[in-house]
Amino acid sequence: MGPMLMRFAAVCVAMGLSAGSIASSCPLTPQIPVLSAHVVLTASRSEISVGTSIPWWLSEVGNRQTRASATAAVELAAPDKGSARPLFGPGGWLIGDGRDALLLDPGCTYLCNGEDGGIFGGNGGSGAYGGVGGNAWMFGNGGSGGGGVDAVYGADGALLSGASAGGSGGNGGLVSGSGGWGGNGGSDLNYGTTVEGAVGGNGGVGGSSGLFGGNSGRGGNGGNVYAAIGNALAGNGGDAGSRISDLNLAGDSGGGGNGGAATAVNGAATGGNGGYGGHGKWHAAGIGGDGGDATVTGTGNAHGGNGGGGGAVFMGTGNDGGDGGNATAANGSATGGSGGAGGLVVTQGDAGAAGDGGSATGTAKVTGGNGGDGAIGGGMLSGTGGSGGNGGSAYGGSSATGGNGGEGGYGGFVGFGSGGAGGDGGNATSDAGSGMSAGGKGGNGGRSGYVAGVGGNGGSGGSAAGKDASPGTGGSGGAGGIGGQRGADGADGGH
């Protein structure tokens, strides 16, 4: 059962409604399939069967981590403590902020959950060591998820426990409130040689916002990693909380967390991917998280993390995609991460620009990351399309290829919006005596709205330098609308 429904059912019970009257006295949306809720009052452990009709967005759990207090039982008093929660003030179950996890249990060392706020008002408490943030009930903000636990190694270098993910942010109040931020993933710094490799924890997802007000929470950052031997895999950034409600006119999505950075001495290094910026609705959305950098100091290949997609909206302003992570290999191949796509706008408003591709430096095959594609602006009506991201540059020995520029987004369907510009191709430089190089292609400009908009300009091609060098071609300009003009073509790259 979704957390919003559980809070709603418990509020009805707290207001003194009988089990048989809850559905009629606290109706939500008619003509919707009935879901059954199971409510347990802690004081008497009496069970009540509740039938009510709920819209899909109340039953969606989506990005929630399972939490001990969010089971089939709705606890109206602290269940496992020696004394009951007070009515009011800190820890108040009626009105009051939930307590932080380590205040509730100072001895907790793993998956410590924050306490929920009071039923009629109060913020959720913060989680710790990968535990989830506490939820707000009617009004208030969700608590932050706890940061993941770092990997632990013994004196002999043996792995005792791996890095854990960050906890999810708590949900904002049912009526109004912002979701808590997701916790950062734990790091894995393996400086020994007893065991190979290192794996970082993923960032937690943000909490959801209230039905009528508040923003969703930002995703946590992925954990960083270091491996003296073996492969290093960084954690991914967490996504923003679930989408903004149709009834929330000013709420924004929270933004994606950044991917973790990866370093390996002898082995492959892979940066974490950035998280998604989130679904807004009527106002604005959050930015996508950046991909993490990857570095190999000895021998091995490096791959930067990809940028997360920018947040999208139904109407309003989309946000930018995250940049791809850079890749560096002292003796090996390297590939930059791709930029994240810009956030689109379904009806009316300007779209987000795409993220740039990451650069790459190595001694073998080296490839810059591609720029992300710009998003559609005002898909049904009018709005400016998002610009494509630039391709990442490549600096290598035997072969270097610049990343391609991303495509510009188009500017609406029937309106006056301008198309987004195409991204520039990345430059490529290889060994002057023996290397091959190819500049990245420029992205095409997006077309404008059909009425009178201006098409986006094409991106320029990347330059190329080396024994066998091929510059990138420029992108084509986007078509203009009726009475508008076409965008300019991008220039070809040079030597």
Side-chain angles (χ1 to χ4, degrees):
M1 179 174 62
M4 287 188 176
L5 173 59
M6 292 176 1
R7 283 180 280 168
F8 186 83
V11 169
C12 293
V13 173
M15 293 170 63
L17 299 176
S18 66
S21 64
I22 287 178
S24 60
S25 299
C26 295
L28 291 176
T29 301
Q31 290 92 37
I32 300 294
V34 173
L35 296 183
S36 295
H38 187 68
V39 179
V40 178
L41 297 182
T42 302
S44 63
R45 307 302 297 177
S46 59
E47 299 185 2
I48 302 173
S49 295
V50 180
T52 185
S53 299
I54 63 171
W56 67 268
W57 35 262
L58 284 184
S59 63
E60 182 184 20
V61 179
N63 66 343
R64 307 282 6 107
Q65 265 183 247
T66 302
R67 58 179 292 125
S69 61
T71 62
V74 177
E75 304 289 354
L76 299 185
D80 299 320
K81 305 302 172 187
S83 59
R85 292 177 62 173
L87 285 174
F88 305 102
W93 68 266
L94 195 63
I95 298 177
D97 292 339
R99 291 165 289 189
D100 293 343
L102 297 184
L103 181 61
L104 285 174
D105 185 1
C108 183
T109 59
Y110 186 61
L111 297 182
C112 312
N113 297 332
E115 187 175 51
D116 292 344
I119 293 176
F120 294 110
N123 301 323
S126 297
Y129 302 123
V132 300
N135 298 317
W137 284 71
M138 296 298 289
F139 300 92
N141 301 323
S144 298
V149 178
D150 294 340
V152 178
Y153 293 88
D156 60 353
L159 177 65
L160 302 180
S161 60
S164 67
S168 297
N171 294 321
L174 177 65
V175 177
S176 180
S178 295
W181 285 27
N184 296 333
S187 295
D188 187 346
L189 306 179
N190 182 9
Y191 297 107
T193 57
T194 302
V195 294
E196 293 187 1
V199 180
N202 295 329
V205 297
S208 60
S209 62
L211 293 179
F212 301 99
N215 305 321
S216 66
R218 180 186 184 275
N221 298 329
N224 300 324
V225 292
Y226 179 95
I229 58 173
N231 300 331
L233 178 62
N236 298 324
D239 295 338
S242 57
R243 80 167 180 85
I244 303 299
S245 161
D246 295 349
L247 305 177
N248 186 345
L249 301 183
D252 300 337
S253 63
N258 298 323
T263 301
V265 178
N266 290 305
T270 304
N273 297 325
Y276 173 53
H279 294 291
K281 186 61 183 183
W282 305 107
H283 190 250
I287 193 170
D290 292 335
D293 295 339
T295 303
V296 177
T297 60
T299 301
N301 301 327
H303 198 303
N306 298 325
V313 296
F314 185 76
M315 178 180 289
T317 305
N319 214 321
D320 300 342
D323 293 334
N326 301 321
T328 303
N331 186 21
S333 298
T335 304
S338 297
L344 64 83
V345 180
V346 177
T347 56
Q348 175 71 35
D350 296 337
D356 295 336
S359 65
T361 303
T363 59
K365 183 179 180 180
V366 182
T367 307
N370 293 328
D373 291 337
I376 299 168
M380 296 181 185
L381 300 174
S382 182
T384 300
S387 299
N390 297 324
S393 296
Y395 306 94
S398 61
S399 173
T401 304
N404 295 326
E407 304 285 297
Y410 70 79
F413 181 66
V414 299
F416 300 84
S418 298
D424 294 336
N427 300 326
T429 302
S430 64
D431 183 88
S434 60
M436 298 176 61
S437 63
K441 298 177 181 179
N444 296 324
R447 70 160 179 80
S448 72
Y450 281 116
V451 176
V454 177
N457 296 330
S460 298
S463 64
K467 181 179 180 181
D468 185 2
S470 300
T473 57
S476 299
I482 301 171
Q485 69 182 53
R486 184 177 181 276
D489 293 339
D492 295 339
H495 288 86

